[in-house]
Amino acid sequence: MKRRSFLKATLATGAASVAVSAGLLTPSTVLASWNKKAFDAKKVDEALNALLGSSDAADSADVKLTAPAIAENGAVTPVTVDASGMKGVESIVIVASNNPTPLVCEYKFSGAAQGFVSTRIRLGSTQQVMGVVKAGGKLYKAQQEVRVTIGGCGG
Amino acid sequence: MSINLRTRGSVKGGVAEIKSLIRHPMESGARMDQSTGKPFPMKLITNVDVSVAGKKVIDAQWSANVSANPYMHVNVAANSGDEVTISVEDNTGEKGSDTFKLR
C-alpha cells in the first residue's frame, strides 16, 4: 500500500514538472506550425475547437473509420480514416477520446491529395476512436469503440 | 543526426499509394524512467509534409498519440515517374526526408 501511494505521488509531481519544463525549454520557433493549444487540450471538444474552430461534427456514412474491435496492444493500434468518397476534403483529424490529450493527428490536404489516412496510434485504455473530416467548411465524423487489453501510454 | 525514414509508393489507376515507415521514439515527455525516477525527455515528430511533383499536397501535425516508429499511408492522385518527397521534423529541430520516383 505504501509503495503504491509513493508511486502515485512521484508520478503526479513528475508529470507536473514535465509540463513546466516542456513549456520553458521548448523554443517556440521550432513548433511554429504546431498547434500546441489543440494538442495540449484535455477534452475532445476543446481540441477540435482549437484546431478546426468548431466541435460540431455530424455523423456521416461517407467517413469510413477502420479500427480493430479489440486491440491486444494499445501502443500500436492500426486506424484508417477513409473519406475518398467525399468532395472537397480539407482535413482529417484522428481523436482518441479517452487518452490524456485526445488529439492524435491532423492531416491537411490540398491539390491532388485524397481524403485518406492510415496510421498506427497509441490508446491508453478502452475508448471511442473518432475520425473527423472537414469538407466544404463542415465537419463530419465516424467513431468506433476499441477495447484495449494492454494500454499504450504508460511507462 | 537526421531522422531515418523509408518510403515507397506505386501508382494504381491514377492514384499513388504512398507508405512511410519512420524510425522515431515518439516520446511524449510524460513517461517515467523507472530506474532514475525522472521522465524521458520529450522527443516527438510534430510536422510531416508530403510533396508530389514539386507541390505540397499534405501537411500533417502529430502528437504523442501516434505510435513509436510511425507508419503512415496516404493517397495522392499522381502519375508514375512523379517525384515524391516526405519530410519530417521533431520538436528538437531534428529533420529527415526521403525522395523517390513513383513506379
Side-chain angles (χ1 to χ4, degrees):
Chain A
M1 191 60 201
K2 263 187 181 166
R3 182 168 166 269
R4 175 145 299 181
S5 55
F6 169 72
L7 271 175
K8 264 191 185 159
T10 48
L11 277 173
T13 51
S17 64
V18 173
V20 171
S21 62
L24 289 175
L25 293 176
T26 314
S28 56
T29 49
V30 174
L31 300 178
S33 56
W34 194 63
N35 193 330
K36 190 171 182 349
K37 195 180 166 212
F39 282 107
D40 283 349
K42 302 269 190 289
K43 295 224 168 75
V44 176
D45 287 359
E46 279 173 33
L48 290 178
N49 274 324
L51 195 65
L52 303 168
S54 166
S55 59
D56 190 14
D59 286 308
S60 168
D62 287 332
V63 182
K64 293 184 185 71
L65 178 79
T66 313
I70 298 175
E72 278 183 18
N73 182 358
V76 277
T77 316
V79 174
T80 301
V81 179
D82 187 351
S84 311
M86 291 177 104
K87 279 189 181 142
V89 175
E90 293 159 46
S91 58
I92 289 182
V93 176
I94 298 176
V95 179
S97 57
N98 211 17
N99 273 6
T101 53
L103 187 58
V104 178
C105 55
E106 186 207 20
Y107 286 79
K108 277 190 209 135
F109 303 102
S110 54
Q114 298 203 328
F116 175 96
V117 170
S118 181
T119 185
R120 297 192 296 221
I121 70 173
R122 287 180 174 134
L123 297 176
S125 59
T126 296
Q127 58 184 284
Q128 295 283 336
V129 174
M130 205 194 294
V132 180
V133 175
K134 186 177 188 184
K138 287 192 177 147
L139 301 184
Y140 304 92
K141 70 172 185 213
Q143 59 185 9
Q144 188 196 316
E145 187 181 75
V146 178
R147 291 184 59 84
V148 176
T149 44
I150 306 171
C153 283
Chain B
M1 274 281 287
S2 65
I3 299 167
N4 184 325
L5 65 157
R6 279 197 358 230
T7 315
R8 62 196 168 84
S10 57
V11 180
K12 273 181 212 150
V15 176
E17 295 186 349
I18 300 167
K19 297 175 184 178
S20 297
L21 259 179
I22 306 164
R23 189 175 289 275
H24 200 278
M26 295 300 282
E27 196 62 71
S28 68
R31 202 166 65 97
M32 300 297 284
D33 184 344
Q34 299 290 353
S35 61
T36 62
K38 286 189 179 144
F40 291 102
M42 184 177 176
K43 185 159 180 63
L44 182 65
I45 292 178
T46 52
N47 292 84
V48 182
D49 289 347
V50 180
S51 299
V52 175
K55 273 191 190 152
K56 183 161 142 183
V57 288
I58 293 169
D59 175 358
Q61 301 180 53
W62 287 359
S63 75
N65 292 332
V66 175
S67 301
N69 297 326
Y71 164 80
M72 174 180 84
H73 169 191
V74 292
N75 290 342
V76 179
N79 302 312
S80 62
D82 282 353
E83 202 167 71
V84 175
T85 301
I86 312 259
S87 45
V88 300
E89 182 173 359
D90 75 11
N91 68 309
T92 63
E94 197 174 320
K95 292 177 188 181
S97 74
D98 191 13
T99 302
F100 69 101
K101 277 209 167 86
L102 285 170
R103 278 185 290 117

